[in-house]
Amino acid sequence: MTTLKRVDVHVEGIVQGVGFRPFVYSLANRLGLAGRVHNDVNGVHIEIEGAHAGVEAFLTALERDAPALSAIERVTVVSGEPAGHHGFTIATSDPGGPRRALVPADTATCDDCLRELADPADRRHRHPFINCTNCGPRLTIVRGVPYDRHLTTMAPFGLCPDCAREYHDPGDRRYHAQPTCCPACGPRLVLRDARGTELCGDPIACAATLLRAGRVVAVKGLGGYHLAVTASDERAAATLRGRKHREEKPFAVMAADLAQARRLADIDDTAAALLTGRARPIVLLPRRDGPLPVASSVAPGSRLLGLMLPYTALHHLLLAEVAEPIVLTSGNVSDEPIAHEDGDALTRLSGIADAFLTHDRAIHLRADDSVVRPLPGGITVLRRARGYAPEPLALRRPVPRPVLACGAQLDNTFCLAYGRRAFVSQHIGDLGNHDTLRSFVEGIDHYCHLLDLRPEIVAHDPHPGHPATRHALEIAGVDHVAVQHHHAHIASCLADNGDPGPVIGVAFDGLGHGPDGTLWGGEFLRADLTGYERLAHLAPVPMPGGAAAVRQPWRMTAAYLRDDHPGLDVAARNAAHWAAALTAAHAPLTSSAARLFDAVAALLGIRDTITYDGQAALELEQRADPAETGAYPAALTTTGGPLVVEGGDLVRAAAADLAAGTDPAVIAGRFHNGVAAAITRTCVEVRHDTGLTAVALSGGLFHNALLLDRTVQRLRAAGFRVLTHVRVPPGDGGISLGQAAVAAALDGR
């Protein structure tokens, strides 16, 4: 006699919108089991019964063979009495109770859909919106949960009979694929001129013709509009720069496939996996030597090229029609948020774009492209957005009460945390811009709605002038927690690695207000998630003119060298203002590592003024000779308080080498090595006093791959365990995770 068994199974994680229910349906039928499966507000619920061996095999295969896009966090199994089910069914979603189901990230078009796209016999041949349960838009079209069609921006598009049949067939790849559609029932692609008038002909072919003629075309993507020109056309790229008011910051380039990308950059296995993975980020890669089919205005003066591959069917079709790589940069004027609503895009971009390749499927939530950079032994995330958000980060310990962390002013993200999950938002941007601030506020509301979450704790930067802080303090009925900027950086690295600390935290970045009234940015902290102590820092120097010194790095050279600049070009170039800078009435003290890098960049003639944040330090890294092994020394001093690292020693050594005729590339290499050596020596001294043997590296300066690599090598050689960022940026894009981790840890004490 066969022994029957019944279990109720609840699966949590990313299990909606990824084909999980049809997977369960097929598995149950293959094993001859009965019951039902349905979505609920927390995930997927399964009632399964049948032969004991079959149920056990089901439970094993449920996690082992789950769909590729799913991410199971927890499976709860409760035994019960068989209910006499006949057959296995997929039931309707249960909308009751607090919503806790996870919304998946937007995903690049899968290989199955690409085969259909290219097949003249398929009814979706050349359909720009082709998708299935394994790919397509997710976060950017979702208005609510459970993740069902009527709660997405696909709701206005009624399914035709053929699509309806696929949508309701559990054996079909498009079963409950919410964005599913075809040419008969899906969104409509159009090409419009700058006034919004629809242009005749095949929209893709006509857009390609315009691109090849040197025109700027706005292209509606998953998370917003992009601006496109052919990558080889210098005049078009320069025109786009002028219209967009983006003077020098590099543009991203989209190649049709990996083979085309390999003609532009050096691509190893790690880079290839990033380029072809489902997230499809922009990947920063070394440019190939020799002439390239990329205009000089695309990435002026950079050894790196930001490359990505198509992630929508529309991209694939357009790249095939153009037959060469294209620039694809955010659809905005510099410092504004990316345009995602059709009317707003036409208004804001009509002075930039000559035409708009657009459609009538709304984007509910804007999302920029993610940016990553391969490193020896791993990657660093520079911007976490489309393809990654809103997938949660697992936390080491559960959060006692729901937390909202409002993040930093620049490169803002926010974070919502509950249970063992932290949801770091997509990249928001600079909150100094009014439209970006509005996007920040709307994004928080949307995430709270999706997660059915009301924060009880709100974490923020202590600086009262930051827009994110002002918004945090306006939220009533919550506990407010202020988290110092550099403590948040180190806490972010700890949370990213699932490490509670304490560690020696090295926070090297631009500027963050310290409790002593100075501007911090070159910090060595004893830190865990509940507190920190400042153990060492770069020697403070004046910032002549305050914010002017950020925009004009030569001012920091003056601050470090003062009158000790015999024959140096940087002083000659800025002679008219040098003396005034040294006597500037407004010159706040700063220990910022970024300002130290700025000083050396200007000293070497790389950059006296900048046009975007971090430009001088980035170009200094680009100039450095990676083969250089020499290192400038920096003294450590103390007066009974924290150790002081004399960064000025590095600047003066670089100046002496420059005066002696040393190649600037060699000087830049020695400077990077000198900073890495100073970090290591300081950590060794701190270890002697504290016994700490782990170091966490965080802050925007560790976007610098050369500095990060040299520092990690030296620290490991000195016997340290080194933590670096893995899942969130080391810069301000990771601050919100650190704030949330600190607030949760303090709440749990």
Side-chain angles (χ1 to χ4, degrees):
M1 181 176 178
T2 302
T3 303
L4 297 180
K5 181 175 182 176
R6 150 75 184 267
V7 293
D8 286 0
V9 184
H10 197 263
V11 188
E12 297 176 61
I14 299 173
V15 290
Q16 293 189 15
V18 294
F20 205 89
R21 288 177 299 168
F23 157 70
V24 170
Y25 175 89
S26 298
L27 178 62
N29 280 302
R30 188 172 77 245
L31 295 172
L33 302 174
R36 65 177 189 161
V37 60
H38 67 270
N39 284 344
D40 63 19
V41 292
N42 294 303
V44 170
H45 188 78
I46 307 164
E47 300 169 22
I48 194 83
E49 61 184 52
H52 187 280
V55 171
E56 290 299 315
F58 175 90
L59 293 175
T60 299
L62 184 70
E63 296 190 63
R64 184 191 63 206
D65 302 330
L69 296 187
S70 65
I72 296 175
E73 289 186 355
R74 181 163 49 205
V75 176
T76 305
V77 180
V78 178
S79 298
E81 291 297 319
H85 284 292
H86 296 285
F88 195 88
T89 60
I90 298 178
T92 57
S93 299
D94 177 8
R99 299 184 295 273
R100 290 292 184 265
L102 305 184
V103 176
D106 300 278
T107 304
T109 311
C110 70
D111 290 342
D112 288 333
C113 284
L114 289 177
R115 279 190 288 272
E116 294 172 346
L117 185 73
D119 183 0
D122 193 277
R123 69 189 188 90
R124 292 188 175 88
H125 176 54
R126 293 183 60 80
H127 180 51
F129 309 101
I130 192 169
N131 70 91
C132 68
T133 53
N134 299 319
C135 65
R138 297 293 193 271
L139 173 67
T140 52
I141 65 168
V142 172
R143 295 186 291 108
V145 291
Y147 176 59
D148 286 332
R149 190 178 181 97
H150 73 281
L151 292 175
T152 74
T153 61
M154 286 298 294
F157 301 95
L159 292 168
C160 70
D162 287 334
C163 285
R165 188 163 45 251
E166 294 168 339
Y167 183 84
H168 293 292
D169 178 1
D172 194 277
R173 195 174 90 251
R174 293 187 170 86
Y175 177 77
H176 278 231
Q178 308 309 340
T180 198
C181 60
C182 73
C185 64
R188 177 172 173 264
L189 188 69
V190 297
L191 183 67
R192 301 184 186 278
D193 65 19
R195 296 183 299 276
T197 303
E198 185 173 340
L199 301 175
C200 299
D202 177 355
I204 293 172
C206 292
T209 298
L210 289 173
L211 287 169
R212 288 194 299 267
R215 302 299 180 87
V216 179
V217 178
V219 181
K220 189 175 182 180
L222 287 182
Y225 279 80
H226 290 91
L227 294 164
V229 295
T230 52
S232 62
D233 191 330
E234 173 61 31
R235 183 175 179 180
T239 296
L240 177 56
R241 283 206 176 277
R243 293 179 184 178
K244 188 176 159 69
H245 304 301
R246 182 164 168 167
E247 297 176 49
E248 294 168 302
K249 191 173 184 180
F251 289 142
V253 173
M254 178 175 278
D257 51 33
L258 196 56
Q260 193 177 80
R262 289 189 191 278
R263 292 196 286 271
L264 306 179
D266 294 327
I267 298 174
D268 61 14
D269 290 345
T270 299
L274 289 167
L275 285 166
T276 59
R278 64 186 178 92
R280 295 290 167 97
I282 297 169
V283 185
L284 293 186
L285 297 167
R287 300 173 70 143
R288 289 182 66 92
D289 292 332
L292 297 178
V294 175
S296 60
S297 288
V298 171
S302 177
R303 293 178 182 172
L304 302 176
L305 196 62
L307 279 178
M308 59 178 160
L309 298 187
Y311 54 85
T312 70
L314 175 57
H315 291 144
H316 282 280
L317 294 169
L318 182 61
L319 266 293
E321 196 76 35
V322 175
E324 65 171 290
I326 62 173
V327 165
L328 207 64
T329 187
S330 299
N332 58 6
V333 176
S334 289
D335 298 328
E336 291 182 355
I338 186 172
H340 72 294
E341 295 174 340
D342 298 334
D344 177 58
L346 189 63
T347 299
R348 284 205 282 141
L349 304 181
S350 60
I352 304 175
D354 299 302
F356 290 75
L357 186 58
T358 186
H359 55 79
D360 53 353
R361 183 182 69 202
I363 298 170
H364 187 71
L365 189 72
R366 63 164 55 94
D368 289 273
D369 294 315
S370 296
V371 183
V372 302
R373 184 177 182 182
L375 298 174
I379 67 168
T380 185
V381 178
L382 306 182
R383 185 168 73 193
R384 186 178 183 272
R386 178 197 50 77
Y388 296 103
E391 294 180 358
L393 307 177
L395 298 175
R396 180 184 175 94
R397 293 179 179 173
V399 176
R401 293 185 292 163
V403 175
L404 163 65
C406 291
Q409 175 167 335
L410 299 177
D411 292 330
N412 176 269
T413 62
F414 59 83
C415 178
L416 285 163
Y418 72 89
R420 290 182 177 270
R421 297 168 175 162
F423 297 84
V424 178
S425 75
Q426 72 281 9
H427 167 83
I428 304 295
D430 180 1
L431 299 188
N433 177 279
H434 173 75
D435 289 335
T436 308
L437 180 60
R438 185 180 64 181
S439 179
F440 162 78
V441 174
E442 291 173 350
I444 291 173
D445 290 344
H446 185 55
Y447 270 62
C448 287
H449 172 67
L450 289 181
L451 299 172
D452 199 14
L453 198 67
R454 185 183 183 280
E456 297 179 34
I457 302 172
V458 176
H460 58 84
D461 191 276
H463 191 284
H466 287 178
T469 300
R470 291 197 299 268
H471 177 74
L473 296 177
E474 289 170 358
I475 300 174
V478 299
D479 292 333
H480 292 95
V481 177
V483 183
Q484 199 275 333
H485 186 88
H486 298 95
H487 182 209
H489 268 308
I490 303 305
S492 174
C493 189
L494 291 174
D496 201 354
N497 286 273
D499 194 306
V503 294
I504 302 169
V506 182
F508 272 32
D509 68 352
L511 298 170
H513 285 261
D516 62 354
T518 65
L519 299 172
W520 289 12
E523 310 307 315
F524 297 80
L525 311 176
R526 183 194 188 281
D528 57 21
L529 295 179
T530 60
Y532 74 95
E533 178 186 0
R534 193 188 199 194
L535 301 178
H537 56 83
L538 290 176
V541 294
M543 269 179 62
V550 177
R551 299 188 299 270
Q552 299 172 343
W554 70 266
R555 290 174 176 268
M556 293 309 304
T557 317
Y560 274 106
L561 295 181
R562 303 195 67 78
D563 294 322
D564 186 16
H565 52 80
L568 293 176
D569 286 345
V570 63
R573 292 193 305 269
N574 299 283
H577 306 288
W578 191 276
L582 297 182
T583 58
H586 181 53
L589 289 176
T590 182
S591 58
S592 168
R595 304 291 79 81
L596 174 65
F597 275 69
D598 285 353
V600 176
L603 171 71
L604 298 184
I606 294 171
R607 182 62 53 183
D608 278 358
T609 61
I610 64 169
T611 61
Y612 61 88
D613 186 53
Q615 183 179 10
L618 174 63
E619 293 182 358
L620 180 63
E621 177 196 358
Q622 297 291 300
R623 181 66 66 87
D625 180 358
E628 175 59 38
T629 59
Y632 296 133
L636 293 181
T637 61
T638 183
T639 56
L643 284 170
V644 175
V645 183
E646 297 294 342
D649 290 351
L650 304 175
V651 182
R652 286 184 286 274
D657 262 358
L658 185 64
T662 305
D663 185 342
V666 171
I667 296 172
R670 291 174 180 172
F671 170 73
H672 277 80
N673 294 338
V675 174
I679 290 172
T680 304
R681 183 182 171 199
T682 305
C683 289
V684 169
E685 290 294 323
V686 167
R687 178 174 61 189
H688 181 267
D689 294 336
T690 65
L692 295 173
T693 58
V695 177
L697 304 176
S698 191
L701 258 294
F702 290 111
H703 285 311
N704 182 320
L706 180 61
L707 175 66
L708 180 64
D709 181 54
R710 297 294 161 87
T711 303
V712 169
Q713 286 185 32
R714 288 174 180 269
L715 286 169
R716 286 176 176 165
F720 287 101
R721 180 170 63 91
V722 184
L723 304 179
T724 61
H725 284 268
V726 180
R727 301 174 295 174
V728 298
D732 283 3
I735 281 283
S736 63
L737 175 62
Q739 291 174 341
V742 170
L746 291 172
D747 193 42
R749 285 199 304 189

